[in-house]
Structures are given as C-alpha cells and as structure tokens.
Amino acid sequence: MENLQEVNNGNIRVPQKPNGWIPTALWNDLWISCHKKLSFKERTASNCIDIPGMVVSSSKSNNPCKKEYRMVDGAHRLCLRKYGLALLEGEVAELQSLLKASGLDDRQDIIDQITDKQNMIDNVSHPMVLEMDQAMFESMLIYSDNPVRHHQEWAKTTELSQELKDDWKLWMRRVLEFVHDQRNRHSNRLDNKGDDEL
C-alpha cells in the first residue's frame, strides 16, 4: 500500500488519510479493526453494504473478543460501511471548517451539502443484521472431513435450476426492499425528532 504511516498497535500499518479532516482516532481504529478485510481489495470492492450480515448469539460464543455475538457473515461489508462513514465524517468536517474559516455562514449550497452528508451518515451508520442462536447456526452447517473438497465437488455437480435462481433473486430483492424501508423509517424518525426540538 502507498503512503503508509505507523500506528502504535502491534504490526498494523495504517494508510495515510485520504482527507486530512477525518478524525485520526476514527481512522486508526478503523484500520486496526478492519485492516485484513479492507486489504482484500477485490472482495471488498464487490460488496453491497445493504445486504444484512449474520450474527450468532451463544453462551459458549467463540468470539475472540468475548462478546455476546459473533459475526459469521458480513464482516467485509461492515468494514466497507465503516470506511465509507470515515470518509463522510471527513467531508463534513472539511465543509464545516470552510464555512467557519471563510466567513461563509450564509452559503446555502455548502450548508445543503453538509446536511446531505449528515443524512447519509445517519442512514449508513445503522447496519442491519440477522440474528440466530447457536443451534440454528449449527443446523445450517455441513460437516465433512475435508470441507474444501466437499464444497468444490458440490459446486461442480450442482446445477441450479432457473426456478431456484429466480427464487434467490426474489428473496434478495425482498431483503433489500426491507432494508431500504427500515432505513427510510429510521431517517423519518430522526427528521421528526429534529422538528420536535425546533
């Protein structure tokens, strides 16, 4: 990677901020927690952050952080979301400083840009996840002496019917519609809360 700067946390190296207005602590925390995911550029670039992640709740959780939940799907999407949020935070801070430094408090176009970006931050900062318990998660697993070979053979021999492909597309469309609906509801609640405070 280009323009690397050291961070005092093990051997993790953090790229230089693309925008100097991104809070340093936010940028460093992002790369400390997501450096492996964000370094996998091909996979991260193909992610759609609107697809919900999956978390498993369990009293015997294998979570290395000893938390109540562990993520079994969606970590790359979550890190990409956090990366986007960091960029937006930097853009908002830069626009706000422009208003203050230049005495342009009445520049409605800049104020509108700040408002739009803050709305994007509000929308993107609430990811959706599907939660399941340990028993349900284990019921979905296929156990094999050689899981890699098992899945390679399965991929070779399985022909997905057009009906199955259509069902999958329909299900994914419904999931994304649900996500967008929930996001709009959340955004409307924030707008109504702001109106009540005026």
Side-chain angles (χ1 to χ4, degrees), residues 8-172:
N8 296 326
N9 192 299
N11 295 323
I12 297 170
R13 301 182 76 197
V14 176
Q16 185 174 352
K17 294 186 287 186
N19 179 334
W21 293 97
I22 297 173
T24 301
L26 174 68
W27 187 250
N28 289 346
D29 289 345
L30 166 69
W31 284 91
I32 289 166
S33 62
C34 287
H35 66 282
K36 289 183 181 176
K37 304 290 186 284
L38 293 175
S39 296
F40 196 171
K41 294 179 184 177
E42 295 81 8
R43 183 166 178 185
T44 303
S46 65
N47 280 332
C48 172
I49 64 171
D50 287 338
I51 297 174
M54 297 175 79
V55 296
V56 176
S57 61
S58 172
S59 57
K60 57 176 185 177
S61 175
N62 295 327
N63 189 322
C65 299
K66 308 301 181 195
K67 302 292 185 184
E68 182 180 357
Y69 298 95
R70 70 182 185 277
M71 181 162 269
V72 294
D73 179 67
H76 287 83
R77 296 191 296 277
L78 183 60
C79 284
L80 183 60
R81 180 184 294 269
K82 290 165 72 174
Y83 180 81
L85 280 168
L87 297 181
L88 285 169
E89 293 280 1
E91 290 174 13
V92 168
E94 185 174 11
L95 288 168
Q96 289 173 334
S97 72
L98 181 64
L99 279 180
K100 292 176 185 173
S102 305
L104 302 173
D105 297 16
D106 58 346
R107 283 285 301 271
Q108 192 58 45
D109 58 329
I110 297 176
I111 294 169
D112 290 344
Q113 286 184 56
I114 292 172
T115 302
D116 289 344
K117 291 184 186 301
Q118 287 174 330
N119 287 337
M120 289 173 68
I121 289 171
D122 288 339
N123 287 335
V124 176
S125 60
H126 296 87
M128 184 165 292
V129 294
L130 306 175
E131 178 189 342
M132 65 184 75
D133 61 23
Q134 183 71 23
M136 178 181 286
F137 174 62
E138 289 183 0
S139 74
M140 298 170 66
L141 299 178
I142 296 173
Y143 294 95
S144 170
D145 292 337
N146 190 330
V148 173
R149 183 183 303 154
H150 171 84
H151 287 289
Q152 287 173 340
E153 291 174 358
W154 177 85
K156 287 179 186 175
T157 59
T158 302
E159 288 293 330
L160 297 179
S161 68
Q162 189 59 45
E163 182 181 10
L164 186 57
K165 291 177 183 177
D166 291 342
D167 285 347
W168 175 256
K169 287 179 184 175
L170 177 62
W171 184 82
M172 287 304 298

Side-chain angles (χ1 to χ4, degrees), residues 115-126 128 178-196:
T115 302
D116 289 344
K117 291 184 186 301
Q118 287 174 330
N119 287 337
M120 289 173 68
I121 289 171
D122 288 339
N123 287 335
V124 176
S125 60
H126 296 87
M128 184 165 292
F178 177 76
V179 169
H180 289 298
D181 181 56
Q182 292 298 313
R183 179 175 292 147
N184 289 336
R185 287 184 185 185
H186 175 75
S187 183
N188 289 337
R189 281 196 301 269
L190 289 175
D191 291 343
N192 292 336
K193 183 179 177 184
D195 292 341
D196 294 341

